[in-house]
Amino acid sequence: MAEQEASGLQVLLHTLQSTSDRESILAILQVLGDLLSVGTDRRIHYMISKGGSEALLQTLVDTARTSSPDYGILLPLFRLLVKVGLRDKKFGQKALELEALDVTLTLARKNLSHSQNLLHCLWALRVFASRVTTGAMLGINGALELLFKVITPYTRKHTRIIRTAAEVLAALLKSKSNSRRAVNRGYVISLLRLHQDWHSHDTVNTYVQIRQALLLCLKHIATIRSGREAFLACRGMEILFSTTQNHLDDKSMEPIISVALQILRQCYPKSLLPLLTASSAYAFRILGSITSEPPRVLTEEDFEDDGDEEVDRDSDSEDVKEEDNDLETDVNKLSSKPGLDRPEEELKQYEAMCLELSYSFEELESKLEEDLNFEETQCANHHHIPAAASPKQHGLNKDQSCWGLEREDTVQTSLLSTVKMGRSTVHLASKKTPAIKTYQKVPCSHLGIDSSGNEIPDIQAFLKEDVWDIDAISCPRMSASLENSTMPTESVEVIDKLLQTHPKDIPFHDPHLYMAKARRTRSVPDFKMMAFPDLWGHHLPPSAQSMLERKCGVQRIKIFEDVRRLIQPSDVINKVVFSLDEPGPLQDMSAPHSLRFCSKFESGNLRKAIQVREFEYDLLLNADVNSPQHQQWFYFKVSGMRAAVPYCFNVINCEKLNSQFNYGMQPTMYSVKEALLGRSTWVRTGCEICYYKNHYCRSAAATGGASGKCYYTLTFAVTFPHSEDVCYLAYHYPYTYTALMAHLDILEKSINPKQVYFRQDVLCQTLGGNPCPLVTITAMPESNSTDHLEQFRQRSYQVITARVHPGESNASWVMKGALEFLVSSDPVARLLRENFIFKIIPMLNPDGVINGNHRCSLRGEDLNRQWLLPSAHLQPTIYHAKGLLYYLSSIGRSPVVFCDFHGHSQKKNVFFYGCSIKETLWQAGCPVSTPTVLEDVSYRILPKILDKLAPAFTMGSCSFLVEKSRASTARVVVWREMGVSRSYTMESSYCGCNQGPYKGLQFGTRELEEMGAMFCLGLLILELKSVSCSHQLLTRAATLLNVEEGALDHHLQR
C-alpha cells in the first residue's frame, strides 16, 4: 500500500513538471494542497523526500518564463512553495540551482502595482531569505532596492504587503553582506525615518508588527561595526530612546520595546573601564606570579559581536544546565588510582598533626588536676546549634531557647528530634511571621534595645547620639587600645570605653580578642583599621527575610538609564570620590552631597567610587591579587548619607554571566548606629536590584585571550536608616580570617577538656605569612585503660574543609555552625565525638579572604584547581591538606566522608556534588559494563539523609558527575587518589531556597549555621544506618537520645 502511495505521488510530481496543460496543473496543485492541508508535517517531509520541492520550483520557473505568466497557476503554486519551503532545510539551495530566486524577484518587480500577486511573491521571498546564503544572493540581485520601493511611510493601505516586505528585509539583513550593502547605500537613516514615521502616526498601536519588523532590520544591521557606526551617526540612540522611553510599561508595545532595547545595547559605544589597568590595585611579589597588565586601547576585535544578545531577564528562568561535553568518559581515568605526588617519606611529617593517635593521656590527666575548678569558670558561651525551630518545638522554655546560653548540665533536646518530627515542622516561625524589614525607624532614646528586645542602658548613657564620633568609632585602628597608639587620646578613650560597653550577648565573640588577633593578621596592603561589624559582632536575625520580588521590567529601566546618561550627559557629575589607585583623600569631608567610601580593612573590596548624580554612584571592584579578573565579592564602608533617601549603587565590573541578584537575592548591610542601639545585625537590603551585561569591554588578559566580552552591572538602591550613619555593604555576610582565629580560641576555652578533645594545629604558613589552622575534635577517652585508649585510637576520621574560594563567605558560616555544634553538649555531638575524630581545615585560603579576593590565592590561582599537583611553595595549604589526607590513607585511616564547603552564586538551596563513574558514563551516553565498572553506591546515602533532615538541603540539585574541568578539584582528587567514595563538595546558595520549609526565604546566618549542624547530624545518621554500625553504638544512641533501641533501629530503616 505504501509503495502504491509513493508511486502515486511520484506520478503526480512527474506530471506536474512535464505537462503544459493548465487544467492538469491546477488539478495536481489542488490534490497536493489537499494532501498537505491535513495531518502532520510527516506528509510534507515525505513529499520533500520524493522530490516535491524540486517539482514545485521547476513548475514555478517554467510558468513564470512564459510570455504571459498564468497567475491562476502561480498563486496556488506560491502557497504550496511556502508550506513546503519552511520545512525543507535545503530549499534555498534548490531554489538557487533552479534559478527560482531570479524568477521570483522578476515577478515581484512586475507586480508592484498588483497587490495580490506581489504579496504571494513576497511570501516566497521570505522563505528564500530565511537561509543566509540565498538571502545574500537575493541582495546581490537587487532585493534590497525592490523592498524599499514596497515599504512606504505610514499608510493604512496595503499594510499586509508592507509588513511582509519589512519581514523579508529583516530576514535578508541577517546576511552581513546585505547589512554592509544597506549601510553603504544609506538605508540606516531611511529605516530610522520609517520607524519615526510609523511610531508617530500609529498612536493606538495597530501596526506593531510593521514597526517591530523595521526595528529588526536595524538590529541585524547593528551586528556589524559599520552598521553601529552608521546608527550612531544618524542619532539612532536618541531616536530610539525618545520613541520608547515613555512606553516601557505599555504591554501592547512589548515586541517593539524588546527589539529597541537590544539595538540600544548593541550600539552603545564600547569602552574600557575607568581604571588604569584591569589588574588588582594590590601587588604581591612572588616567584611565578602574574605580572601587572599595562594599560591598553580598544582594538577592532573589541567591537565584534560576542554572540547572541542576552534577553531581558524578567522571568525566573535561572536553571544552570550542566555541559555534557565536559564529562569524563575515559573509564581508565575514572577508575584508576594515581600514585603519590611526593616521596612517601614526606608523609611522616603529618604524624605531628595526628597526635591523638599517640598522645600521652597520663600527662594530660596530671595537667587537668591542676586546673582551677574548670566547672565553675567554664565560659558561659558554651552552647549548641540545633535546627532553627521555635523553642516550643524543641520543648525548651525561653531561657533555654536554641540560640540561648547553655551549660553542660542543661536539659537538652537533641538535634535528632527534627528527624522524628519531620521536615515540615522546621522553622515555621519564619513562615508565619513577615520577613523583617531592612531597618525599622526607631525613635532615639537613652535606652538601646538589643536583638532580643532587652534594654541596653550603658550605650546611650555613655554616648548620646548627638555627640557620637561616628567616623572614629566606625573603623577603629588595630592599635586603638595600645599605649603606643598614634591616634589622638580622645579617640583611644572612645574606643576603649566603647568596648567596655559591648553588650557581650553575642555568642562566641569577644571584640578585645578580635582586636588582638587582627594585629597578627598579615595583609598585602598592610591594613591598619578594622571593619566595625567584624569587631563589634553580629547578632543572629530574629527570622529569615523573604526573597525580594523582582519588579517587572526593572532591567530595561536600568538600561534606558544608561542610555540616558550617554545622550543626556549634562546632569552627570562623574566625580571620583574614592580610589585605591590614587593616594591621599579624594573627598572634601565637608562636601554636603557626596558619600564617603572606604574598603581598606580585612576582606574589604572596593577599588573606586564615582559619583554619577547626587544620589547615584558607579562602583568598581578590585580584581583578585595578581589577577586581572574575578570581580564579584564586595565589602565596603559608606558614610555621610541622608536618611530616607534612596541611593543607587552600580557595581559596573562584575564578571559572572548571571546572578541570583536577578532572582530574589539582596546584598547585606550593617549599620553602626543600629549596632550601638543594640541591633548589631547584618540584614539583607536593597530594592530595584538588577544584574545585566553592560558596555564595558573586558581585557584579553581577563578573558583568557577572548575578545569582545563585556562586564556586567549589579545595580541596587539602598535607603539608609539614619542620617550621618556609617554603614557597611557586602555581597554576602562577611566572615574574616581574624574572626575565624578569634572564634577558634573562644571555642577552645569554652569546652570542658575532660570531655572534649579540641586541638588547634598550624597546617602550614600561607604565602602571605598567615597560619592556616587545622582543628581536631573528638571525645576524650573515658580513662587511660588499654581498652579505652584502643577505642579512642580506632575511631574513624571525618575530614571537612571550607573557604578555598574567599568570596564564598557563606561556607564559613556553615563551618561555624558545624564547629560550634561539634563542641556542644548536644547528645548528637557527644555521640559524634565518641565515634569519630574530626579533622577540620576551616579556611583553606586565608590570604584570599584577608585581602578581599573573590576566587584566588595571592598568586592569582584558583586553589581548588590545584589539587592534582600542588606545590609546597606555591600552594602550601592545598599541598599540606592533600598530604594530611595521603597520610591518613597510608595508615589505613582514610576518612569516612570528605566534604569541602562552598557557596554557589547561580543556584538556590544547599546541595552536594559527588563522584560516580556509572552516573557519569550514563549521562554521557557511554555503554557501561557492570562487570568491568564496579563502584560503591553508598555515595548517595548522605545526601539522601540530608534531604530528609535539613530544611535547606535538596537532593534534586545534587550531581554526581565527574567533569574533565573538575579533575583537579578537591572532591575529584580525594575520590580518585585516596579512594574516598563519599567525597563531596557541599554548595550553599548565596540567595536562599525555592523548596521545602524555607521556600521563598533568603538565607541568614542562622540558616547557614544550622546547615553546618545538620551536616554533622547527617554523619551520625549515616553511621547509624550503616550495616557495620555496632550494637554498642545503637544502644548508646538510644540511651543518649532517650528512645528505645528498637524504635531507633526501625526509624533509621536499617
Side-chain angles (χ1 to χ4, degrees), residues 572-592:
V572 176
I573 299 172
N574 203 32
K575 175 187 176 184
V576 177
V577 295
F578 171 78
S579 176
L580 293 179
D581 300 307
E582 301 176 36
L586 292 171
Q587 296 166 306
D588 178 3
M589 298 298 287
S590 62

Side-chain angles (χ1 to χ4, degrees), residues 145 223 444 473 585 610 764 820 827 832 846 948 983:
E145 294 80 354
T223 59
C444 295
I473 292 171
I610 304 170
C764 61
E820 291 177 7
L832 284 166
K948 296 179 179 178
S983 178

